[in-house]
Amino acid sequence: AQTVTQSQPEMSVQEAETVTLSCTYDTSESDYYLFWYKQPPSRQMILVIRQEAYKQQNATENRFSVNFQKAAKSFSLKISDSQLGDAAMYFCAYSTSGTYKYIFGTGTRLKVLA
Amino acid sequence: SAVISQKPSRDICQRGTSLTIQCQVDSQVTMMFWYRQQPGQSLTLIATANQGSEATYESGFVIDKFPISRPNLTFSTLTVSNLSPEDSSIYLCSVVQGVSYEQYFGPGTRLTVT
């Protein structure tokens, strides 16, 4: 069975600085998708970034980028120029190609310090 | 991306009663899911809501406790039956549009059972 692990329950970053959130996963599949979602206190889940396993290039969305290491089964999220609005719970998620179902990690609470 | 609404946004229910949560999408979608998020926890998939057929439940979730309807491609309901305090959670619906594997989430329903 697939698993997703986020080993950092909580992280803090100074405003305008850079922070990296860690995620590791376990799967025997070769074709899958990885996601980072943000859940602010309002609880609306927002998709931050997506990575297809078959793509070697790391995904980037504005200030958000990932470091995808397929062999190591690692999928970290880097947030550059952190803003107060980035404060939220961040969830890493995995989906095997063809199933559309997600497996979520336990989440990392990010605090942004002014 | 799809715009998803849920009703009610929150409710307080008595033990032994039931609550039905509605999920409405502004466009036709291929797949809809229901998740539970217990306080301070990650998201756990309850079931996949299949249009025109019975929902597909994940391990640990049963139809008698969590009956789901999906009468068309834009609407679904989740009922949480015979409520106990352990059912106090946030319940979220999500949808997949096309074949992107990206899920879009509703704002959630916060259920408190007294």
Side-chain angles (χ1 to χ4, degrees):
Chain A
Q2 294 87 12
T3 59
V4 178
T5 301
Q6 293 179 250
S7 59
Q8 306 153 316
E10 190 170 295
M11 294 279 287
S12 295
V13 63
Q14 206 70 33
E15 198 175 4
E17 297 294 309
T18 296
V19 65
T20 299
L21 309 184
S22 301
C23 173
T24 58
Y25 59 95
D26 189 25
T27 184
S28 58
E29 304 290 338
S30 59
D31 193 10
Y32 52 87
Y33 296 79
L34 296 163
F35 307 86
W36 280 99
Y37 279 84
K38 168 184 177 181
Q39 188 179 41
S42 65
R43 74 175 182 258
Q44 178 86 50
M45 293 282 286
I46 302 166
L47 176 64
V48 175
I49 200 164
R50 177 186 85 177
Q51 175 78 45
E52 293 88 340
Y54 63 84
K55 288 187 177 179
Q56 293 186 337
Q57 186 172 8
N58 290 324
T60 298
E61 287 288 341
N62 301 314
R63 298 183 294 108
F64 299 88
S65 62
V66 299
N67 183 4
F68 173 48
Q69 302 288 330
K70 191 172 184 179
K73 297 180 182 175
S74 171
F75 181 61
S76 60
L77 174 70
K78 186 172 82 171
I79 306 174
S80 304
D81 185 25
S82 296
Q83 302 175 358
L84 294 177
D86 295 333
M89 281 291 285
Y90 285 80
F91 292 98
C92 178
Y94 165 98
S95 180
T96 298
S97 179
T99 70
Y100 296 94
K101 295 193 291 187
Y102 281 12
I103 298 169
F104 282 91
T106 51
T108 296
R109 181 174 301 281
L110 178 66
K111 295 184 177 180
V112 181
L113 308 173
Chain B
S1 63
V3 176
I4 305 162
S5 60
Q6 285 185 235
K7 290 182 182 179
S9 60
R10 60 177 62 225
D11 207 342
I12 301 172
C13 298
Q14 299 273 0
R15 184 195 301 253
T17 62
S18 299
L19 176 69
T20 295
I21 302 167
Q22 299 179 2
C23 178
Q24 179 74 55
V25 191
D26 69 341
S27 58
Q28 294 186 344
V29 293
T30 51
M31 307 193 75
M32 295 180 77
F33 301 95
W34 285 99
Y35 289 87
R36 181 175 71 183
Q37 186 176 25
Q38 294 177 305
Q41 304 293 315
S42 185
L43 283 76
T44 301
L45 181 63
I46 297 171
T48 303
N50 302 309
Q51 195 265 329
S53 64
E54 270 194 12
T56 305
Y57 290 85
E58 298 300 305
S59 175
F61 297 96
V62 296
I63 188 171
D64 289 346
K65 177 69 174 177
F66 299 99
I68 289 170
S69 77
R70 191 175 173 195
N72 56 53
L73 293 175
T74 64
F75 185 79
S76 178
T77 66
L78 167 73
T79 300
V80 189
S81 303
N82 190 23
L83 290 167
S84 68
E86 292 73 34
D87 295 320
S88 296
S89 294
I90 296 171
Y91 293 85
L92 301 103
C93 67
S94 74
V95 304
V96 172
Q97 281 189 305
V99 293
S100 72
Y101 284 88
E102 295 174 0
Q103 287 190 23
Y104 298 95
F105 287 81
T109 296
R110 182 182 295 275
L111 169 62
T112 302
V113 182
T114 60

